[in-house]
Amino acid sequence: MWQRRAFLKSAGAGFLASLAPRQLLALEANDLVFASSIQTSAGKYGAVLMGERGDVISMIDLPDRGHDITISREAGRGVVFARQPGTFALVFDPFGNEAPQTLTSVEGRHFFGHGVFSPDGRLLYATESDFEAAQGVIGIYDATDSYRRIGEFPTYGTGPHEMLLMPDGVTFVVANGGIETHPDYGRAELNIDTMDPSVVFIDRRDGKLIGQLRLEAGLHQLSIRHMAVDVQNRVWFGCQYKGAPSETPQLIGYATMDGEIRLIELPTDTLRDLRNYVGSVAASTDGSTIAVSSPEGDLLIAIDAEQKRPVLVETLRNGCGLAADQTGFIATSGKGEMIGIAGAERPQQQFDFLFDNHMLRLG
Amino acid sequence: MRIFAAIFATFLLVAPASAQIISPSEMLRSSVTNFIRPQTKAFATRTAELSKAMYVLCENGDLTAAQEAFAKAATAYGRIEFLRVGPLMEDNRSDRILFFPDRKGIGLRQVQQLLAEADPTAATVPGLQQKSVAVQGFGALEFVLFGTGFETLTTSDGAFRCAYGAAVAKNLEEIASDIAAGWADPDGIAKRLTQPDPAYADYRTTTESLEAIVGLVSHGIEAVRDTRINPFIAKGDGKANPKLALFWRSNQTLPMLKANFDGLRRLIELSSVVTDPALAEEVTAAFARADAAFAVVTSPVEEAVTDPAQAAALNDLVIATQDLQRLIGEELSATLGLSVGFSSLDGD
């Protein structure tokens, strides 16, 4: 299933098979590796691993559309989660030595497209929907036992989307988007009038709620969906507005473990061009800059996390995927383009596949 | 006038294969002028008639006329409910007109409670507008007119029920009128959609406007399948659930579905977005498949799902939606050079 194109060309299969993990890590250190879900020109779904120059290292087939990817060096595995309301997650060996393993969501649950590993790589966590109860859960999988599902925690809200592990290694932050869906009704949104989105901090060890933050009641149709953590441990989030399209509420904000939550003020023009839709949020390598994207508005914004204001606005048609490189961000699009922004110097590249919403940098 | 309209419609049904190639701007203008404005206006007219019929019912007890007016107003909405841009999306209007699917039966519970309590604030439009969206629209009115206890509407015992129903109908009339006015406004969304400008927040280019039109159709087809057909027909487990169908009480499930298909087809045809003759033929064939299925499903939905021929026809409707989604969402988009938005429009 894996096609180690670039490696096979440059070094031959034997080279890759003989690489010890330590050498592979060294390879990563010298040459950033990125991962993304994709759609091929033939309309098939997959995930791709690529070097920082855009060279495709490997490609994997997926049974349906994937979404975000998480990777653990400790586990030696990556996981592609199905786009909501998908029922599969694919565990793969980033170096292609082992065959991938497909996880299927348990009865009464589906995936939301995001998840994380524990710092030691022994546990995998995924945002999931308990759709009968319209409640979010974090599914817990034992990476040391064939990814057996060993339990779940509540997310204390409906429609959880992205989840991250805070730098302390013991606190999850989860964006409860607030939107109820049910597989019986496809992707139809069932509770737009009564949405209740929140950002929650949850103790990874026992699933207890540490804190739940909501924006003011008038913004209850502002679905909080994607996040990134800055150098000050502020959790930056991007929202999608489900209320009247003629309204343009602010869409970018941050939350802290001290209980602060607020939206920052983007200039009217910039806000308008986000089209009430933020598709992904990423932090720079040093955590001082936050990038957000809107594939609806073809817009990318870089924000100074300390000053809390935009420092750069770029356009990229259908641009959504964002990941930090050494000096800035790479951004990818649903049109198969990859560019560098906010200090990343790289030529614009066009691929023969389309990038999904999220780009992951390994390590 | 009517004869002319009928001839015009017949012509359109056979025309797509030889459709004239028109410019994207004309496609947009035609969408608004020939479909959106007349159909939103028709919805406003039908709801005004419904409101009047409810008033008459409460005064003189003409239940049949009110039930018929309900069916006409609901199907008029069925033709435009996929127009999920502009006025329909303001002020929670789409949910207030029709809160469906209502998976947990919230609307039914709230309506029953409100009737049991004879809550007087529900019998006025301003009072009603303060309440849950689920008690404000067609779902609530269907229960009033066709649900348990509807017979009381013509007796003094049903006075509150009737007054509440009349308030719901008046509320629908107001919402429909606002939607029609929104589209009729020469400086409103119609202008922004048909004469896009980089200064607009919503439609900056002709391509974006066309993407919006094609996207409405594509998402409309998906919504019909996912929320109006699939939930109640028999699937893998072989068990149908007709009570999950919209408007099963009033036997308007199939008329509503027909109206949905009809609205989608009319917009495709009247906008002339399908310029490729081969594609037009395929689109016509997919709608013909749906028509053939509709002709078979003649029983009320509870019976239709248990009859093998009608159940198969309902499955055929699903297949028609799949064909249409491929033809409109993928092939038409590709023909027009539009982005189906791999990374967008999906709420992820």
Side-chain angles (χ1 to χ4, degrees):
Chain A
M1 194 177 282
W2 282 84
Q3 304 158 22
R4 294 171 295 237
R5 276 197 222 157
F7 275 144
L8 289 172
K9 252 189 254 167
S10 62
F15 167 69
L16 183 62
S18 67
L19 276 180
R22 198 171 294 278
Q23 291 169 289
L24 285 162
L25 294 181
L27 176 72
E28 281 179 48
N30 293 325
D31 183 8
L32 299 180
V33 177
F34 297 94
S36 177
S37 289
I38 58 152
Q39 184 181 35
T40 67
S41 50
K44 307 274 185 218
Y45 297 107
V48 70
L49 210 62
M50 49 206 314
E52 66 172 310
R53 283 174 293 278
D55 44 312
V56 174
I57 299 168
S58 52
M59 210 180 271
I60 189 170
D61 297 331
L62 294 178
D64 205 335
R65 185 166 170 184
H67 195 61
D68 203 8
I69 299 176
T70 188
I71 297 243
S72 166
R73 287 162 184 260
E74 288 70 20
R77 291 289 183 275
V79 181
V80 192
F81 297 96
R83 170 179 181 252
Q84 65 155 315
T87 54
F88 73 89
L90 196 92
V91 181
F92 63 93
D93 171 1
F95 306 107
N97 295 322
E98 304 277 343
Q101 178 190 348
T102 305
L103 311 183
T104 305
S105 55
V106 293
E107 175 104 22
R109 304 285 181 272
H110 68 70
F111 292 110
F112 269 111
H114 291 268
V116 295
F117 274 98
S118 59
D120 61 9
R122 296 173 68 90
L123 295 171
L124 170 73
Y125 304 91
T127 48
E128 299 176 6
S129 179
D130 172 357
F131 45 78
E132 288 306 332
Q135 290 297 310
V137 298
I138 295 171
I140 308 167
Y141 298 83
D142 186 347
T144 67
D145 184 11
S146 306
Y147 291 84
R148 188 168 57 87
R149 195 177 192 275
I150 57 171
E152 65 184 25
F153 295 146
T155 71
Y156 308 94
T158 299
H161 201 67
E162 187 157 25
M163 68 179 294
L164 302 172
L165 187 60
M166 294 295 288
D168 64 13
V170 293
T171 309
F172 289 133
V173 60
V174 181
N176 283 312
I179 298 172
E180 178 187 348
T181 55
H182 190 285
D184 283 355
Y185 300 105
R187 293 170 63 84
E189 296 167 339
L190 305 173
N191 67 332
I192 295 300
D193 60 314
T194 54
M195 286 170 58
D196 179 24
S198 63
V199 172
V200 290
F201 293 98
I202 296 168
D203 192 314
R204 184 174 75 78
R205 296 161 295 195
D206 55 15
K208 286 206 175 121
L209 181 66
I210 297 168
Q212 181 157 28
L213 303 173
R214 292 179 170 87
L215 294 163
E216 57 178 282
L219 294 172
H220 82 98
Q221 289 179 321
L222 199 51
S223 180
I224 305 170
R225 304 178 80 85
H226 295 106
M227 304 175 295
V229 181
D230 77 8
V231 66
Q232 300 288 339
N233 283 355
R234 283 179 290 241
V235 179
W236 286 80
F237 57 82
C239 304
Q240 296 170 13
Y241 188 56
K242 297 292 174 178
S246 61
E247 294 167 9
T248 48
Q250 293 291 339
L251 299 174
I252 314 290
Y254 62 86
T256 70
M257 287 187 67
D258 299 331
E260 185 187 5
I261 184 165
R262 54 167 292 215
L263 294 165
I264 67 160
E265 291 286 317
L266 292 181
T268 310
D269 286 3
T270 312
L271 186 62
R272 187 195 66 193
D273 286 344
L274 284 176
R275 301 292 192 95
N276 280 340
Y277 192 105
V278 172
S280 72
V281 181
S284 63
T285 302
D286 67 3
S288 69
T289 307
I290 298 297
V292 303
S293 63
S294 170
E296 294 275 296
D298 307 327
L299 204 71
L300 308 167
I301 306 174
I303 293 161
D304 181 320
E306 196 50 50
Q307 302 292 323
K308 304 178 182 73
R309 59 182 172 80
V311 289
L312 177 108
V313 177
E314 289 233 9
T315 57
L316 176 63
R317 186 122 161 86
N318 209 227
C320 195
L322 289 167
D325 71 359
Q326 295 100 331
T327 53
F329 296 90
I330 62 159
T332 54
S333 82
K335 298 272 195 188
E337 282 180 83
M338 181 190 274
I339 63 168
I341 63 159
E345 284 176 19
R346 56 172 54 246
Q348 178 160 352
Q349 287 172 286
Q350 177 68 50
F351 295 84
D352 61 358
F353 48 77
L354 313 176
F355 290 99
D356 208 285
N357 302 40
H358 300 295
M359 196 71 178
L360 170 80
R361 179 179 135 191
L362 280 66
Chain B
M1 186 68 192
R2 258 191 211 158
I3 292 167
F4 174 74
I7 293 168
F8 189 53
T10 312
F11 168 73
L12 280 164
L13 286 182
V14 296
S18 57
Q20 272 189 309
I21 293 179
I22 66 169
S23 74
S25 292
E26 284 172 280
M27 290 175 188
L28 294 167
R29 202 160 35 244
S30 183
S31 302
V32 171
T33 312
N34 296 329
F35 179 77
I36 299 176
R37 278 180 174 160
Q39 291 299 327
T40 51
K41 196 174 164 209
F43 175 48
T45 306
R46 294 283 172 262
T47 50
E49 288 164 2
L50 171 62
S51 182
K52 197 173 162 200
M54 284 305 296
Y55 178 80
V56 172
L57 167 62
C58 300
E59 293 285 303
N60 305 327
D62 190 348
L63 179 59
T64 309
Q67 289 178 326
E68 283 169 4
F70 170 88
K72 281 185 184 157
T75 48
Y77 182 58
R79 283 187 199 90
I80 59 157
E81 63 172 320
F82 69 96
L83 294 177
R84 297 177 67 81
V85 293
L88 183 57
M89 302 314 288
E90 304 288 329
D91 301 331
N92 285 332
R93 284 185 186 126
S94 72
D95 279 344
R96 287 164 61 211
I97 295 170
L98 178 59
F99 182 68
F100 189 89
D102 181 2
R103 199 175 67 80
K104 293 180 214 134
I106 298 167
L108 177 62
R109 218 166 40 238
Q110 289 176 340
V111 170
Q112 284 172 326
Q113 191 184 352
L114 187 151
L115 290 174
E117 291 171 0
D119 175 356
T121 60
T124 67
V125 173
L128 188 62
Q129 288 176 346
Q130 298 304 311
K131 298 193 182 298
S132 154
V133 295
V135 303
Q136 290 192 31
F138 281 118
L141 190 54
E142 191 209 21
F143 187 81
V144 167
L145 286 169
F146 301 90
T148 310
F150 78 93
E151 310 84 3
T152 62
L153 282 169
T154 51
T155 70
S156 55
D157 289 349
F160 174 76
R161 187 180 183 116
C162 202
Y164 164 57
V168 172
K170 191 80 192 160
N171 185 47
L172 284 166
E173 181 188 354
E174 268 188 29
I175 299 171
S177 163
D178 288 344
I179 291 169
W183 280 107
D185 180 357
D187 294 319
I189 183 166
K191 182 182 179 184
R192 299 196 305 277
L193 186 68
T194 55
Q195 299 166 55
D197 188 291
Y200 295 153
D202 41 9
Y203 305 107
R204 296 174 295 193
T205 63
T206 304
T207 302
E208 283 188 351
S209 291
L210 263 190
E211 278 171 359
I213 295 287
V214 175
L216 285 176
V217 175
S218 168
H219 290 121
I221 293 162
E222 182 184 2
V224 168
R225 182 188 60 226
D226 288 351
T227 71
R228 302 296 168 79
I229 313 175
N230 267 337
F232 78 84
I233 63 171
K235 287 179 290 290
D237 61 1
K239 212 169 146 275
N241 197 342
K243 294 212 167 156
L244 290 181
L246 174 66
F247 296 156
W248 61 269
R249 283 185 182 84
S250 55
N251 196 22
Q252 289 300 309
T253 305
L254 270 298
M256 193 68 179
L257 273 175
K258 272 186 215 170
N260 291 149
F261 273 84
D262 185 42
L264 291 159
R265 168 165 32 191
R266 287 196 205 196
L267 179 57
I268 292 169
E269 290 177 353
L270 293 168
S271 63
S272 307
V273 282
V274 184
T275 52
D276 178 70
L279 184 58
E281 229 168 85
E282 282 193 80
V283 171
T284 304
F287 278 115
R289 180 174 202 155
D291 283 343
F294 280 126
V296 172
V297 189
T298 48
S299 307
V301 68
E302 300 95 307
E303 292 161 34
V305 293
T306 61
D307 171 50
Q310 297 188 58
L314 287 167
N315 269 313
D316 241 23
L317 276 184
V318 174
I319 294 167
T321 62
Q322 288 162 346
D323 288 349
L324 286 167
Q325 223 185 342
R326 174 178 54 79
L327 296 168
I328 305 297
E330 294 171 27
E331 294 186 21
L332 175 61
S333 296
T335 312
L336 293 171
L338 306 178
S339 154
V340 286
F342 183 56
S343 284
S344 60
L345 284 172
D346 57 10
D348 275 348

